Amino acid sequence: MSLALVGDIGGTHARFALWRDGRLEMPQVLETARFAGPEEAILDYLVGQGLEPLALEQVCLACAGPVESDPFRFTNNRWQISRAAFLSRLGLRQLLLINDFVAMALGVTRLPESELLPVCAGQGEAGRPCLVIGPGTGLGVSALLPDGAGGWRALPGEGGHVDLPLGTDREVALWQEMRRELGHVSAESVLSGAGLLRLYRVGCRLDGLAPELESAAAVSRAALAGDAPAAAALEQFCCWLGRVAGNHLLTLGARGGVYLAGGMLPCFPGFLQASGFARCFADKGVMSRYLDGIPVWLVTAEQPGLLGAGLALEMGLR
């Protein structure tokens, strides 16, 4: 395969790398806010590598959102892509757009065990689907389906925008506050960077406290340092992630296992393991036993989305 470019573009960061002979080369992370659009970001990346666009044969971009429309508009940033204009400006002959969590799902199929941290012990069932889910700027969800030939197909979707499930009186109270603010309360309304900050602020309001923290990163740092309101918010975040992941597992029959991915969770792996995630994941009433023994792993690899974009490009060429 000739030289290609792969990208994994979310709401906050755009990750790029070269793809050659089934391997990633020269990965780099750029902030989307610095650029007017993906073309400008790619040109900046190529200049940094001493390359011209004409050196590339193909580009595969994994993008946050449903990629069927043209132009494609990103869900959580202002960028958009018109396929014809993109190819013309960069002088390319092929552009493959895929959902970012399709790329994430394909990427985890190639990860070694050393880049998977156990969250719930168990043994996945051979030949059954797997769930891939993870919070970052938004909440990504995908499924891996066995292809019948020893490989996998990744299922695109927008499962991050399902309704937020409620399981306790505290969750009902938090939901009511968020509904007054947002109208529709999706899973992503909580399970994202903006969602963690929202959860912290709403929790403080319910408890009669003045919120002091101004970002999701600050909330997670304070939680790990023992700040009680921040720790309560992060604990509730993990519990809601468990509920949402368990719901998707029931829908998909994903008894092959669950992969937790995205940019947020690797910042607090120990907290996640000790949290109520596992309890809420399996809290499904008469179907609770269905989730017994289903393994859950935290993906700790640095660039699984870029790896998946390269694999998708090779699959598309075949």
Side-chain angles (χ1 to χ4, degrees):
M1 183 179 181
S2 54
L3 186 66
L5 181 137
V6 293
D8 177 15
I9 305 174
T12 305
H13 296 107
R15 297 168 172 83
F16 298 109
L18 303 176
W19 181 261
R20 179 163 37 200
D21 298 327
R23 298 176 63 87
L24 295 171
E25 299 178 3
M26 308 298 182
Q28 185 177 357
V29 182
L30 302 175
E31 294 182 2
T32 57
R34 289 178 49 209
F35 302 95
E39 294 93 339
E40 289 80 5
I42 289 171
L43 289 170
D44 184 88
Y45 169 78
L46 292 174
V47 167
Q49 306 305 322
L51 294 172
E52 296 287 339
L54 293 177
L56 304 174
E57 290 291 330
Q58 298 93 16
V59 171
C60 177
L61 299 180
C63 304
V67 296
E68 292 79 13
S69 62
D70 190 12
F72 163 72
R73 292 176 173 83
F74 288 79
T75 301
N76 289 312
N77 71 40
R78 69 186 189 284
W79 286 6
Q80 67 177 28
I81 295 177
S82 166
R83 287 169 172 80
F86 182 96
L87 292 171
S88 175
R89 181 169 181 187
L90 296 182
L92 300 169
R93 65 178 181 83
Q94 181 179 4
L95 169 65
L96 176 63
L97 294 183
I98 62 173
N99 176 265
D100 61 335
F101 255 70
V102 164
M104 185 72 75
L106 292 174
V108 303
T109 67
R110 294 289 185 90
L111 297 181
E113 289 187 10
S114 61
E115 293 182 316
L116 299 173
L117 180 67
V119 176
C120 298
Q123 182 66 46
E125 294 184 10
R128 299 298 296 271
C130 296
L131 170 68
V132 185
I133 182 170
T137 303
L139 177 64
V141 181
S142 185
L144 286 167
L145 307 178
D147 66 4
W152 298 92
R153 295 185 63 184
L155 180 68
E158 291 300 320
H161 298 278
V162 299
D163 297 337
L164 186 69
L166 306 177
T168 67
D169 291 343
R170 174 71 173 185
E171 290 173 359
V172 171
L174 290 165
W175 177 86
Q176 288 175 329
E177 288 291 315
M178 290 186 288
R179 183 175 181 272
R180 280 190 278 271
E181 174 188 343
L182 301 173
H184 178 250
V185 184
S186 68
E188 185 175 279
S189 300
V190 165
L191 299 174
S192 59
L196 176 58
L197 182 59
R198 176 179 295 114
L199 190 54
Y200 165 76
R201 289 174 171 170
V202 171
C204 286
R205 187 158 66 241
L206 285 176
D207 296 333
L209 302 172
E212 299 177 351
L213 306 173
E214 298 295 333
S215 69
V219 173
S220 61
R221 285 194 300 267
L224 296 179
D227 178 83
L234 193 59
E235 171 68 17
Q236 184 61 67
F237 180 95
C238 294
C239 288
W240 252 320
L241 179 61
R243 294 196 191 283
V244 173
N247 284 356
H248 281 299
L249 185 146
L250 288 177
T251 300
L252 295 166
R255 293 180 57 84
V258 178
Y259 296 89
L260 304 178
M264 294 182 69
L265 301 180
C267 298
F268 46 89
F271 191 103
L272 174 66
Q273 288 175 310
S275 74
F277 171 91
R279 171 177 52 81
C280 294
F281 174 70
D283 182 19
K284 299 303 175 191
V286 296
M287 280 289 108
S288 294
R289 293 191 64 183
Y290 186 85
L291 287 83
D292 286 349
I294 303 299
V296 180
W297 302 279
L298 172 61
V299 175
T300 61
E302 289 189 4
Q303 306 293 356
L306 286 177
L307 176 60
L311 295 174
L313 187 57
E314 291 192 346
M315 293 167 65
L317 290 176
R318 289 198 299 269

